[in-house]
Amino acid sequence: ACRLCPPRPAGPGLGLEAQPSGAASSLCPGPHYLLPDTNLLLHQIDILEDPVIKNVIVLQTVLQEVRNRSAPVYKRIRDVIGNPEKHFYSFTNEHHRETYIEQEQGETSNDRNDRAIRVAVKWYSEHLKKIQDEEKIQVIFLTNDRTNKEKALEEGITAYTCEEYIKSLIANPDLVDRLACVSDEGKEIESGKIIFPEHIPLSKLQQGIKSGIYLQGTYRASRDNYLEATVWVHGDAEENKEIIIQGLKHLNRAVHEDIVAVELLARDEWVAPSSVVLQDDGQNEDDIENEEEKENILKTAVNKDMLRPTGKVVGIIKRNWRPFCGMLSKSQIKEARRHLFTPADRRIPRIRIETRQADTLEGQRIVVAIDGWPRNSRYPNGHFVKNLGSAGDKETETEVLLLEHDVPHQPFSQGVLSFLPKMPWTITEQDMKYREDLRHLYVCSVDPPGCTDIDDALHCREVENGNIEVGVHIADVSHFIRPGNALDEESAKRGTTVYLCEKRIDMVPELLSSNLCSLRSNVDRYMYMIHTLILTRNSRCLYVDFNRFPSHRLAFSCIWEMNHKAEILKTRFTKSIINSKASLTYAEAQMRIDSATMNDDITTSLRGLNKLAKILKKKRIDNGALTLSSPEVRFHMDSETHDPIDLQTKELKETNSMVEEFMLLANVSVAQKIYDEFPEFALLRKHPAPPPSNYDILVKAAKTKASSYHNLEIKTDSAKALAESLDKAESPTFPYLNTLLRILTTRCMMQAVYFCSGMDNDFHHYGLASPIYTHFTSPIRRYADIIVHRLLAVAIGADSTYPELTDKHKLADMCKNLNYRHKMAQYAQRASVAFHTQLFFKSKGVVNEDAYILFVRKNAVVVLIPKYGLEGTVFFEEKGKPTPRLDYKNEVPSLTVEDTTLRVFDKVKVNIMLDASNIQHQKIRMVLVEPKV
């Protein structure tokens, strides 16, 4: 922008405007650039991101400090600098001879950096004075540091606090709401008494952790009880792995996912996990007596065996605050500026914010950030960030659940899209170098209806020597996504495709996911394939006239050999080209297999695959693999309104199992190959065995029905014993019992995780009863599979390696991100199902259905409705109604309401309706109809 300087090299953003345009300010009416210091950038990033704020100089000194102190804020400011509409400019003052300064003797690095910033502001101001313009451009220094501001003013620099500058913006009064509370002290309630104990300073905490006085762990707030949390202790010690925290003072201002220091209480103060459901729905933020009353509810007499290690939070090691979605609970005081914000996530406390827009924001979904939590405030302080739209609106609610589950869902940037292949795309001779041409094979894909991101296909045929050749073919996404470029980095960050009820958030751009990499029929595609040969008694060779398929589009592939008992004799892997002859749904494939009249090549192939899959499945189950259950639902949408008009549980066909068996077999084979080749840096997937205590709920539930069903004994000493006892737990008079047990067993399981082989020695996959496993079969929707493809390609000499692929520490970090992204994707999918379920019942009024009790609580039961695969809680305490007599027994879980006893797996009838009384937390409400209580 500067006419005195040589043109700047090409880079992100457009830089400063020569004649800065921006918001009109009463403090500095002339054209001006802004230059913030480090703390201002760290704490006021929401202000700097606002479209109103333009023409900002970000110094190298500031960027370096931000990078060291907050990776998320650093990423956000880099994105702003890269946005051409914002006109932010990064000035390398540390490499400029007139702005570089040495640290003076006795000067702290912090003071040196503050001085460097002031020197740069002064230089910029002097430099701009040389431009011969009628209106001189000013440089405004923004700092919230009192000392730094005083020194700047002494040196003749124009300096303001962020608040002073923002309040001076004539046309943008609403921007004041986005100001972060700079210090807790300034925001404390004047009359407030001290509620919470003081946090111990970090240096003392670290000493205490070292000496074993305190324990460090991750704070997990309870969804069901706002006065209870669990701290998962870091480290390998088996003892005190999970610590219960109960009561407001012991929770001591920790927020969900913070890293905290905990002090264990004496054994006689230990408590049991609460079975009470408590929601923070009070309007009075300072009603501490009421909190103490609620805490007393938690302290009921319990069996000594149920007591767990209990502690209190004594300090915060690392805050993991993020912007939170939710709604404003408007103050009942007229003209009030201070209001409570209620987050959508029940694990997050309410946040006190100041806003002048309360009337506008009422009924809207908004985003708020926490700034601090003083000792004398019942709730943390925060500031308004942005308005997402009206509560209940489908687009708004989808945005909320994506933000709340940290799902990256912005459109792919131009930088990412620039690495896509140029269209029209064709295969070159170089592409063919390491590939086999398999376009003559009768390959087909089998997927759910409407699937466009097809990454696997299969074939099965008899060959000349009497064997059966079976192929599992996987899209070769790694051909298009090369290591280290922007497309690769974005895919790695996203980690997985997220499937919502009406929307798919792709991991890779659509050109790849639904076009070039998707193995749709009658189009040649790049892919990876595992080719399996199986010996049979009747040998007949099938040949296909290659010239019948003139399509010569390029793709990618891989190959095995087995006997007729499905025992693998030989495995080989290769890159290839295929031509899928049919894209079938599970139902269409099943219809072909069952048809008495269809005998074409694709149908013959499917029958062969299905026959082999049954043998493979029996082997797996005989080895101790678990067949678990979780009800999945499918919505039928209105074609115009896109609202759900029907809701039913998904029906699984034989063909679902057929595809699954070959995918599992491919994953196991590839896992073994990459581990053999790269024992230190294979990316694998394991499923840890659950600790015995996880099965308590399942064993107790089985005991409640043991007197009625003599086969009902659940053994949990091994996966095989568990699988066999589940198989035996059948009852002709209660056919749904087995499904309920399998659903409950699923809840006892640990999460399966990715890991690097060189950083772990336990590879076992408990659920599949496999000694080794990985993910190879879905590279369009899982980044882990792309890494596995790259490892396999190097192993077979089809591609070259790169440094990050053989760095086990970097792979371990990548696995951490992938595990996080997969977990968040699962939660987002569940939230989407819950929201669409609410939409479905909104138009239904009251629905009466059969249900089964899954869990029994102190004041409620959790039920499952098989027809809809829907779970919900039936409460027996209602506001404004007399509380019935409740008697809860934990040993064999039961709840007696007046004279009616309810146990796990009891069949009941419930009324289902949408409770919209709380627009923020609309929920499905269930009321017990039978038995009548």
Side-chain angles (χ1 to χ4, degrees):
C2 182
R3 282 167 270 160
L4 302 173
C5 300
R8 61 189 284 264
L14 295 176
L16 302 167
E17 290 177 298
Q19 216 36 51
S21 64
S25 162
S26 58
L27 281 176
C28 24
H32 57 272
Y33 300 130
L34 300 174
L35 197 154
D37 71 0
T38 308
N39 280 326
L40 192 132
L41 201 151
L42 279 167
H43 297 121
Q44 306 292 354
I45 184 69
D46 289 323
I47 290 281
L48 295 173
E49 283 177 330
D50 194 280
V52 168
I53 305 298
K54 293 180 180 178
N55 291 295
V56 175
I57 301 160
V58 183
L59 298 180
Q60 183 187 1
T61 309
V62 170
L63 266 183
Q64 284 171 344
E65 280 197 282
V66 169
R67 188 179 194 166
N68 293 334
R69 287 168 61 183
S70 173
V73 173
Y74 179 73
K75 164 82 173 68
R76 286 168 72 181
I77 195 64
R78 293 293 332 174
D79 288 347
V80 174
I81 292 167
N83 179 353
E85 291 171 12
K86 291 282 284 171
H87 298 285
F88 273 49
Y89 176 57
S90 173
F91 176 49
T92 51
N93 63 307
E94 298 289 355
H95 293 103
H96 192 287
R97 69 171 176 267
E98 293 180 60
T99 54
Y100 173 74
I101 61 163
E102 294 279 357
Q103 189 169 346
E104 292 175 353
Q105 202 171 356
E107 187 178 39
T108 66
S109 55
N110 195 42
D111 287 345
R112 180 260 168 209
N113 287 346
D114 283 348
R115 188 162 58 87
I117 294 166
R118 294 196 302 275
V119 166
V121 179
K122 209 163 186 183
W123 176 84
Y124 239 110
S125 297
E126 295 301 321
H127 184 71
L128 292 172
K129 281 177 187 172
K130 296 173 189 172
I131 300 172
Q132 299 300 310
D133 270 353
E134 283 179 29
E135 267 197 299
K136 295 292 179 195
I137 300 172
Q138 269 188 300
V139 177
I140 308 294
F141 178 40
L142 294 181
T143 178
N144 287 335
D145 183 317
R146 193 181 302 151
T147 313
N148 206 6
K149 186 187 170 193
E150 282 169 4
K151 285 183 180 175
L153 293 170
E154 282 168 20
E155 293 167 19
I157 294 167
T158 307
Y160 299 111
T161 65
C162 193
E163 191 171 349
E164 286 168 342
Y165 179 75
I166 296 303
K167 283 183 173 175
S168 80
L169 301 181
I170 298 155
N172 306 93
D174 292 347
L175 204 52
V176 173
D177 288 356
R178 299 189 72 178
L179 281 167
C181 309
V182 179
S183 71
D184 290 342
E185 293 73 36
K187 286 277 178 181
E188 289 188 356
I189 307 158
E190 292 72 18
S191 60
K193 63 176 183 181
I194 299 296
I195 301 167
F196 297 101
E198 200 168 349
H199 284 150
I200 293 168
L202 191 57
S203 56
K204 285 189 179 173
L205 287 180
Q206 286 164 339
Q207 287 168 12
I209 290 163
K210 227 174 189 177
S211 61
I213 300 169
Y214 308 129
L215 297 166
Q216 177 178 322
T218 304
Y219 179 92
R220 303 264 163 83
S222 164
R223 244 180 241 279
D224 298 324
N225 184 345
Y226 75 100
L227 292 174
E228 183 170 283
T230 305
V231 171
W232 290 82
V233 177
H234 302 167
D236 302 323
E238 283 304 307
E239 202 186 10
N240 302 333
K241 195 77 189 147
E242 200 181 318
I243 295 171
I244 292 173
I245 317 287
Q246 265 187 16
L248 208 58
K249 288 184 173 63
H250 287 172
L251 298 174
N252 198 6
R253 296 171 286 156
V255 176
H256 184 64
E257 292 293 347
D258 282 351
I259 308 296
V260 298
V262 171
E263 184 180 347
L264 267 182
L265 299 177
R267 271 184 178 270
D268 60 358
E269 293 183 74
W270 285 13
V271 297
S274 168
S275 301
V276 177
V277 178
L278 280 181
Q279 307 291 358
D280 180 13
D281 49 12
Q283 275 299 320
N284 184 355
E285 59 183 274
D286 303 314
D287 191 358
I288 301 304
E289 280 91 30
N290 187 31
E291 305 294 356
E292 286 163 7
E293 216 174 279
K294 287 185 178 177
E295 283 178 28
N296 289 331
I297 299 170
L298 305 180
K299 295 168 187 166
T300 50
V302 287
N303 184 325
K304 275 190 178 174
D305 297 339
M306 292 168 61
L307 298 176
R308 295 280 182 272
T310 307
K312 60 181 180 182
V313 173
V314 292
I316 309 292
I317 291 159
K318 183 174 181 281
R319 288 291 193 189
N320 270 326
W321 295 342
R322 58 176 175 83
F324 300 105
C325 300
M327 293 182 73
L328 197 70
S329 303
K330 197 178 157 196
S331 171
Q332 287 156 1
I333 302 164
K334 208 178 174 190
E335 303 296 314
R337 283 194 192 172
R338 188 177 280 172
H339 307 273
L340 279 180
F341 162 83
T342 306
D345 186 342
R346 288 193 183 274
R347 294 169 300 185
I348 306 301
R350 289 164 157 212
I351 301 162
R352 191 169 62 240
I353 67 167
E354 286 195 18
T355 177
R356 305 156 188 237
Q357 307 175 63
D359 292 339
T360 314
L361 297 178
E362 206 174 8
Q364 301 287 297
R365 289 284 197 179
I366 64 172
V367 178
V368 161
I370 297 179
D371 299 320
W373 196 340
R375 289 175 62 199
N376 60 358
S377 170
R378 169 66 184 84
Y379 297 109
N381 295 318
H383 66 273
F384 166 75
V385 176
K386 65 177 171 182
N387 184 356
L388 297 174
S390 298
D393 173 74
K394 209 184 300 183
E395 287 298 311
T396 304
E397 296 301 335
T398 301
E399 180 72 8
V400 167
L401 76 86
L402 290 171
L403 287 170
E404 278 299 289
H405 297 98
D406 195 15
V407 174
H409 60 287
Q410 264 54 47
F412 290 98
S413 70
Q414 281 308 311
V416 168
L417 297 175
S418 68
F419 285 96
L420 290 172
K422 301 293 175 276
M423 299 301 284
W425 173 80
T426 56
I427 299 162
T428 65
E429 277 185 41
Q430 187 63 29
D431 292 332
M432 292 298 295
K433 207 170 174 183
Y434 300 105
R435 292 183 191 280
E436 284 186 38
D437 198 330
L438 303 172
R439 285 175 287 185
H440 58 289
L441 297 176
Y442 275 89
V443 172
C444 71
S445 61
V446 184
D447 291 279
C451 182
T452 60
D453 54 342
I454 300 170
D455 39 23
D456 56 82
L458 301 148
H459 85 273
C460 174
R461 65 168 187 161
E462 291 185 21
V463 288
E464 213 168 34
N465 63 3
N467 299 343
I468 295 179
E469 177 184 277
V470 174
V472 171
H473 310 267
I474 307 300
D476 183 15
V477 182
S478 63
H479 175 82
F480 297 99
I481 301 180
R482 301 311 294 162
N485 68 23
L487 175 56
D488 182 45
E489 285 172 0
E490 182 64 23
S491 307
K493 185 183 97 173
R494 293 183 178 221
T496 180
T497 292
V498 181
Y499 295 89
L500 306 180
C501 292
E502 271 192 285
K503 195 173 186 174
R504 190 179 81 203
I505 314 295
D506 281 329
M507 180 184 83
V508 297
E510 195 176 17
L511 179 66
L512 297 183
S513 66
S514 296
N515 189 337
L516 294 181
C517 294
S518 184
L519 307 181
R520 295 180 298 174
S521 55
N522 300 318
V523 183
D524 293 345
R525 293 280 177 250
Y526 259 115
M527 59 174 311
Y528 240 115
M529 160 197 148
I530 293 181
H531 206 109
T532 310
L533 298 172
I534 303 180
L535 295 167
T536 58
R537 293 194 185 103
N538 306 317
S539 63
R540 185 167 66 85
C541 184
L542 299 175
Y543 286 104
V544 180
D545 180 2
F546 185 82
N547 294 317
R548 282 172 55 203
F549 300 96
S551 175
H552 293 290
R553 304 264 303 276
L554 283 187
F556 197 159
S557 281
C558 123
I559 311 177
W560 291 311
E561 189 176 326
M562 299 178 174
N563 62 23
H564 66 282
K565 293 176 186 172
E567 294 163 345
I568 297 174
L569 305 174
K570 191 169 67 179
T571 307
R572 80 179 182 89
F573 307 92
T574 177
K575 291 208 170 190
S576 69
I577 303 174
I578 63 153
N579 186 344
S580 177
K581 306 299 186 289
S583 296
L584 306 173
T585 64
Y586 291 117
E588 286 166 348
Q590 192 67 52
M591 189 188 72
R592 281 176 177 254
I593 290 167
D594 298 339
S595 169
T597 55
M598 294 184 81
N599 290 300
D600 58 279
D601 292 311
I602 289 290
T603 305
T604 306
S605 172
L606 287 167
R607 286 182 187 134
L609 289 165
N610 199 37
K611 194 174 174 183
L612 293 166
K614 287 176 182 175
I615 301 169
L616 291 168
K617 185 170 185 175
K618 185 179 184 306
K619 270 196 213 177
R620 273 197 318 110
I621 288 168
D622 289 347
N623 281 340
L626 294 171
T627 308
L628 300 179
S629 180
S630 60
E632 282 192 74
V633 297
R634 177 179 292 285
F635 292 94
H636 295 272
M637 301 294 183
D638 183 290
S639 57
E640 285 181 21
T641 65
H642 297 287
D643 284 341
I645 49 174
D646 194 13
L647 169 62
Q648 59 196 66
T649 50
K650 287 182 187 175
E651 185 193 345
L652 296 180
K653 300 188 180 297
E654 246 182 29
T655 43
N656 290 74
S657 179
M658 175 190 83
V659 173
E660 183 186 14
E661 285 309 315
F662 287 108
M663 297 306 119
L664 293 175
L665 191 63
N667 287 336
V668 170
S669 297
V670 172
Q672 195 59 59
K673 176 69 177 174
I674 61 172
Y675 177 63
D676 290 344
E677 292 287 334
F678 309 112
E680 283 295 298
F681 36 81
L683 191 153
L684 302 175
R685 187 164 175 83
K686 68 172 181 176
H687 182 216
S693 61
N694 276 32
Y695 288 122
D696 287 354
I697 186 84
L698 176 68
V699 173
K700 281 178 181 176
K703 274 182 187 168
T704 62
K705 296 293 175 195
S707 56
S708 313
Y709 309 101
H710 62 274
N711 278 339
L712 199 54
E713 187 192 357
I714 300 296
K715 294 177 179 172
T716 60
D717 38 328
S718 71
K720 191 170 170 60
L722 176 60
E724 285 171 355
S725 57
L726 284 170
D727 287 341
K728 285 178 190 167
E730 295 280 1
S731 164
T733 57
F734 187 0
Y736 201 65
L737 174 67
N738 193 266
T739 306
L740 286 168
L741 284 165
R742 290 184 194 276
I743 288 169
L744 218 48
T745 307
T746 307
R747 306 292 167 89
C748 302
M749 291 297 126
M750 304 289 282
Q751 191 88 27
V753 290
Y754 297 111
F755 69 101
C756 173
S757 58
M759 305 289 278
D760 209 323
N761 48 22
D762 173 22
F763 293 8
H764 191 73
H765 196 293
Y766 181 81
L768 297 173
S770 176
I772 194 164
Y773 192 68
T774 194
H775 271 163
F776 163 78
T777 53
S778 295
I780 291 176
R781 59 187 178 89
R782 291 189 305 232
Y783 188 77
D785 303 51
I786 293 178
I787 296 295
V788 169
H789 277 225
R790 288 174 182 169
L791 287 164
L792 186 63
V794 176
I796 64 168
D799 207 342
S800 52
T801 186
Y802 58 98
E804 285 77 11
L805 197 63
T806 54
D807 182 329
K808 63 183 183 182
H809 296 287
K810 284 194 173 159
L811 273 174
D813 285 345
M814 183 188 291
C815 289
K816 198 174 172 185
N817 178 57
L818 294 176
N819 292 329
Y820 171 71
R821 292 292 178 205
H822 276 260
K823 185 173 72 175
M824 287 295 115
Q826 275 183 324
Y827 292 163
Q829 281 153 222
R830 286 178 204 163
S832 179
V833 169
F835 174 63
H836 281 78
T837 305
Q838 289 170 14
L839 287 181
F840 172 72
F841 282 105
K842 195 174 186 176
S843 59
K844 292 285 173 200
V846 178
V847 178
N848 183 272
E849 285 297 341
D850 288 340
Y852 292 95
I853 296 175
L854 271 186
F855 303 103
V856 176
R857 305 276 187 243
K858 270 187 184 172
N859 58 347
V861 291
V862 178
V863 299
L864 174 77
I865 291 134
K867 181 177 176 181
Y868 300 124
L870 178 65
E871 212 175 286
T873 306
V874 177
F875 289 97
F876 296 107
E877 295 173 323
E878 280 189 67
K879 269 187 184 171
K881 290 191 179 179
T883 302
R885 193 174 68 254
L886 300 174
D887 182 17
Y888 171 74
K889 287 190 171 59
N890 182 68
E891 289 72 23
V892 176
S894 71
L895 178 67
T896 303
V897 186
E898 296 293 341
D899 299 316
T900 306
T901 300
L902 302 169
R903 295 181 181 85
V904 176
F905 297 162
D906 280 359
K907 188 175 181 180
V908 295
K909 261 198 188 307
V910 294
N911 277 344
I912 313 162
M913 65 210 84
L914 180 69
D915 179 1
S917 58
N918 179 345
I919 193 166
Q920 157 85 332
H921 290 123
Q922 287 194 32
K923 57 178 185 263
I924 300 296
R925 184 162 171 260
M926 296 190 186
V927 178
L928 195 67
V929 179
E930 284 177 30
K932 200 160 178 60
V933 294

